[in-house]
Amino acid sequence: MPVLCSSCGDKRAVLKRPKTGHSLCKECFFWAFEEEVHQTIVAAELFKHGETVGIAASGGKDSTVLAHVMKLLNERYNYGLELMLLSVDEGITGYRDDSLETVKRNQQQYELPLKIVSYEELYGWTMDAIVKQVGLKNNCTFCGVFRRQALDRGAIMLKVDKICTGHNADDVAETVLMNVLRGDIARLRRCTAISTTSEGEGVVPRCKPLKYAYEKEIVLYAYFKKLDYFSTECIYSPNAYRGYARTFLKDLESIRPSSIMDVIHSGENLSVREGVKMPVQGTCTRCGYISSQALCKSCVLLEGLNRGLPKLGIGKHHRLHDKILSQQPLTEKEERKLKSVDF
Ligand code: SF4
Ligand code: ZN
């Protein structure tokens, strides 16, 4: 006998919601998913009427669902937002070029303006070229740091008030775990925040409307809505550490689905003891972006690439930043340490 939807009691259930275990029909699942995102947006007051919002769009399932739901809720609840798509082209042949084609189709489907900023135009380096120099071990450090700044620069070009990203509950829980494992208290404190205010010149506030949406439900939503998204993994994706955290979390989830929310709640409720030293934010003396050091991470990584010393931005070499800033020559030993021999 077919199972009936536990919400409407009328249509046939086609899925069991991973988050609640309820058997639902397609329409009731769509409604429940969209309403939860709406509740998240309203409860955290993520947007103000009249704001221009850039949706960070990669062509992947999360950002495609985000763009779809943001457009739908903006119309359904009259948020009064002007929405735009903002994409970063890291310069990864066979991956990003294809996923950007998906974003371009999404632009047509959702009738939203699109801006693409590329690493090549911003930094003079594509990820393809970076991987050639640094190999496949620390490439995601370069990519992550460059992407953060690239999104801000794109957002400023588009004159948006806010950027929203497709980070989902699984991503947030993973990041909590990783920051606990690394003992990174400053990041641990920040990583569960649903929105950030501008931390300074050149930094656009960000928010995560899908913060409480389970990855499994995002996949189901995209599948049943037949959304056009790109599902291939990055060809340079070694990120082993995040991979382990992800697998661990998935194992926990299979035993207890609430584990994802439990980890997020733990992260949200942690309080940092008085007197724990936090980095003081200033600005980069070279590019003006926020930084707790004289040079921001992006400028250090770039300097390393341009000088053929790619390890400069990996690990702690703050003493050497001052030397580089004042253009003092490095000793042979220092140079050797920063070359890519043991990448
Ligand atoms: Fe960049 Fe690494 Fe993500 Fe690939 S997996 S897009 S290299 S951060
Ligand atoms: Zn800088």
Side-chain angles (χ1 to χ4, degrees):
M1 218 178 78
V3 180
L4 286 183
C5 171
S6 64
S7 180
C8 65
D10 185 24
K11 292 196 202 90
R12 235 180 97 177
V14 293
L15 59 94
K16 205 169 178 164
R17 267 197 85 177
K19 199 171 182 176
T20 59
H22 295 151
S23 300
L24 296 180
C25 71
K26 244 197 307 193
E27 283 68 27
C28 287
F29 169 64
F30 292 156
W31 185 260
F33 183 90
E34 290 153 6
E35 280 310 289
E36 281 179 19
V37 179
H38 173 59
Q39 288 311 323
T40 304
I41 290 172
V42 173
E45 298 177 18
L46 294 188
F47 309 109
K48 288 197 199 77
H49 196 93
E51 275 181 336
T52 305
V53 177
I55 302 169
S58 67
K61 60 175 182 352
D62 300 307
S63 61
T64 306
V65 167
L66 179 66
H68 177 90
V69 173
M70 282 297 296
K71 184 172 164 72
L72 185 140
L73 294 176
N74 191 32
E75 287 162 11
R76 184 184 291 165
Y77 291 106
N78 195 18
Y79 290 166
L81 302 176
E82 194 176 334
L83 300 175
M84 298 183 177
L85 299 174
L86 175 57
S87 291
V88 177
D89 181 359
E90 297 93 343
I92 303 176
T93 313
Y95 167 65
R96 186 56 83 216
D97 41 2
D98 293 341
S99 67
L100 285 175
E101 288 308 311
T102 314
V103 178
K104 287 178 195 158
R105 287 198 302 277
N106 290 160
Q107 172 193 17
Q108 306 290 320
Q109 292 150 357
Y110 302 140
E111 296 172 324
L112 297 174
L114 164 68
K115 167 90 190 152
I116 302 176
V117 283
S118 76
Y119 283 5
E120 186 155 37
E121 99 201 37
L122 293 178
Y123 309 110
W125 286 81
T126 61
M127 273 313 289
D128 287 337
I130 293 173
V131 167
K132 261 198 200 128
Q133 186 178 132
V134 311
L136 277 173
K137 208 166 149 202
N138 290 297
N139 56 306
C140 293
T141 303
F142 288 84
C143 196
V145 171
F146 287 168
R147 183 181 302 108
R148 182 178 151 80
Q149 213 180 83
L151 270 178
D152 278 325
R153 296 226 214 153
I156 287 167
M157 289 179 211
L158 275 178
K159 297 194 173 61
V160 305
D161 300 301
K162 243 163 227 165
I163 303 172
C164 62
T165 60
H167 290 102
N168 60 42
D170 299 50
D171 297 328
V172 177
E174 247 168 60
T175 308
V176 170
L177 277 181
M178 292 208 329
N179 288 331
V180 169
L181 295 172
R182 286 197 287 230
D184 193 332
I185 304 300
R187 284 215 177 89
L188 182 57
R189 198 187 205 175
R190 285 196 309 255
C191 73
T192 53
I194 190 159
S195 59
T196 60
T197 50
S198 178
E199 296 160 84
E201 190 77 9
V203 184
V204 179
R206 294 189 185 198
C207 64
K208 307 176 186 127
L210 301 182
K211 181 187 167 189
Y212 297 113
Y214 278 28
E215 183 166 72
K216 280 185 177 166
E217 300 209 346
I218 290 173
V219 174
L220 283 172
Y221 187 87
Y223 172 79
F224 283 114
K225 281 268 178 188
K226 297 192 174 61
L227 299 186
D228 182 5
Y229 69 94
F230 183 79
S231 55
T232 309
E233 281 257 330
C234 171
I235 50 169
Y236 301 140
S237 158
N239 221 331
Y241 204 67
R242 185 171 276 275
Y244 287 127
R246 173 168 289 247
T247 310
F248 176 57
L249 200 67
K250 293 270 180 253
D251 288 347
L252 291 178
E253 189 197 8
S254 67
I255 305 168
R256 202 163 72 133
S258 69
S259 299
I260 293 171
M261 287 312 247
D262 298 341
V263 172
I264 296 179
H265 287 147
S266 300
E268 285 172 341
N269 291 310
L270 280 178
S271 58
V272 177
R273 178 162 43 89
E274 288 271 326
V276 172
K277 240 176 104 194
M278 291 290 172
V280 183
Q281 294 291 14
T283 49
C284 171
T285 46
R286 185 167 289 175
C287 73
Y289 196 70
I290 49 151
S291 172
S292 53
Q293 307 293 330
L295 279 181
C296 75
K297 189 84 176 158
S298 186
C299 283
V300 177
L301 289 169
L302 204 53
E303 180 82 22
L305 286 171
N306 290 335
R307 288 212 189 181
L309 304 170
K311 285 183 89 178
L312 188 64
I314 311 284
K316 301 214 180 306
H317 302 289
H318 297 149
R319 200 176 46 81
L320 299 181
H321 298 176
D322 295 337
K323 258 189 143 174
I324 281 164
L325 254 185
S326 55
Q327 308 210 322
Q328 291 172 49
L330 298 175
T331 64
E332 220 177 277
K333 196 171 152 212
E334 285 166 345
E335 286 233 359
R336 218 175 321 117
K337 249 183 31 205
L338 299 177
K339 285 224 163 104
S340 62
V341 273
D342 60 345
F343 257 106

